[in-house]
Amino acid sequence: MPRIFDFGGREVERSVTVAGLRALKGSGRHVAQVTAETADEAAAAEAAGIEMVVCRAANVARVREGSRRVFVTAALGFADAVTSDEVLRTAFTAITTGADAVITGRGHETVRMLANEQIPVMGHLGFVPRKSTWVGGIRAVGKTATEALDLWDRFKRLEDAGAFAVECEIIPARVMEEINRRTGLVTVSLGSGPAADVVFLFTSDISGESARLPRHARAWGNLAALHKAVRDARVEALSEFRQEVAGGSYPAEAELAGIADGELETFRQQLEAER
């Protein structure tokens, strides 16, 4: 496992590095990325052998409590950092806290600004949920030759701006394959087929927590049923507590703190004396 100094100056081990991700190009090897917003989710990812996680920038410290080894990409939210100064400040805070890279769906100038500071930047192309008004709905992007060529142009501009990687969301698999063999960007497939360098799914989908599973996702667990069982058990316990309070059976004698008869009598006498 590579040892590096992180952006906070700490000597650390990482499951993969930027250089290691770039070396995936043309190798036929893939790494996996999932979401993690808590220490527990990060610890589970590491225990499962997942190499990469993505989280909100504000949650980097929590994620690092769960794993010191996974490659963490911090998402710079649209509203969390708006001006150039805010974007830089948020990005530097994230990487010095423990992130290895940042991801942004902002324009090329934002990517260029971050890359000029040698911050590893991941872009976001294909279907970008917050920008879906431009494509008219929730759908794959690149299903026509014209749209695929426009998408390819966006890949080139993103690479020219200095990004090292790009999240590729819901791009037709054969289009993704053609782009992947031509771009120097590390490609991260979210619903864009197996030809990318990194394969990405949301932990909630993988674990079976999502109310509706996207077409591109698959559930290997059924945490929704376990969560429901926990909620039902909690309601049942609370209901029984309420019933026993109403009926007078709680608290019972065994659940009360005691006092010796003599001490109680002395206490009563002193109370009487004060009257």
Side-chain angles (χ1 to χ4, degrees):
M1 186 170 292
R3 293 189 66 81
I4 61 169
F5 285 96
D6 70 6
F7 287 95
R10 298 168 288 261
E11 188 175 358
V12 296
E13 289 185 336
R14 287 290 189 265
S15 55
V16 70
T17 62
V18 169
L21 290 170
R22 283 177 161 168
L24 291 173
K25 304 297 294 184
S27 70
R29 295 182 294 111
H30 301 82
V31 302
Q33 176 177 280
V34 300
T35 53
E37 299 292 350
T38 67
D40 283 347
E41 289 177 342
E46 180 181 311
I50 302 292
E51 295 92 345
M52 301 173 66
V53 303
V54 61
C55 68
R56 290 186 288 272
N59 289 339
V60 170
R62 296 171 63 193
V63 168
R64 275 288 170 236
E65 288 174 6
S67 175
R68 295 291 177 184
R69 292 183 172 180
V70 296
F71 185 101
V72 174
T73 300
L76 307 179
F78 279 100
D80 298 334
V82 179
T83 66
S84 296
D85 285 347
E86 290 171 344
V87 169
L88 279 176
R89 186 178 299 108
T90 302
F92 273 114
T93 298
I95 61 174
T96 55
T97 300
D100 300 287
V102 299
I103 180 171
T104 178
R106 299 280 292 274
H108 297 102
E109 290 310 309
T110 297
V111 171
R112 193 181 309 279
M113 175 184 67
L114 293 165
N116 283 343
E117 297 293 339
Q118 295 189 306
I119 297 172
V121 188
M122 185 183 296
H124 190 174
L125 293 176
F127 176 73
V128 182
R130 292 175 185 271
K131 298 179 179 179
S132 56
T133 188
W134 289 101
V135 297
I138 301 172
R139 65 172 182 86
V141 175
K143 295 188 72 171
T144 67
T146 298
E147 195 170 69
L149 283 169
D150 178 68
L151 185 60
W152 169 235
D153 184 61
R154 291 173 184 270
F155 270 79
K156 290 188 291 184
R157 284 186 284 152
L158 184 62
E159 187 171 1
D160 288 344
F164 87 98
V166 55
E167 180 182 321
C168 309
E169 186 165 353
I170 319 182
I171 296 169
R174 289 189 291 179
V175 173
M176 186 72 253
E177 185 176 3
E178 294 297 330
I179 290 175
N180 189 59
R181 65 165 58 109
R182 291 171 171 83
T183 182
L185 293 167
V186 175
T187 53
V188 180
S189 170
L190 179 60
S192 299
D197 306 305
V198 180
V199 178
F200 174 31
L201 275 183
F202 280 42
T203 293
S204 56
D205 291 337
I206 295 168
S207 301
E209 296 176 274
S210 302
R212 186 179 66 83
L213 200 65
R215 177 182 176 180
H216 63 263
R218 186 190 305 175
W220 283 264
N222 190 8
L223 283 186
L226 294 177
H227 291 326
K228 182 179 184 303
V230 169
R231 289 194 300 272
D232 291 346
R234 181 179 291 115
V235 171
E236 182 180 354
L238 291 169
S239 298
E240 291 183 11
F241 164 69
R242 183 66 186 90
Q243 290 170 9
E244 294 210 25
V245 168
S249 56
Y250 179 83
E253 187 66 31
E255 293 151 338
L256 305 178
I259 184 172
D261 291 345
E263 294 296 330
L264 180 60
E265 184 56 34
T266 300
F267 173 57
R268 285 172 174 165
Q269 290 174 2
Q270 290 176 351
L271 289 177
E272 290 296 325
E274 291 180 2
R275 294 178 62 181

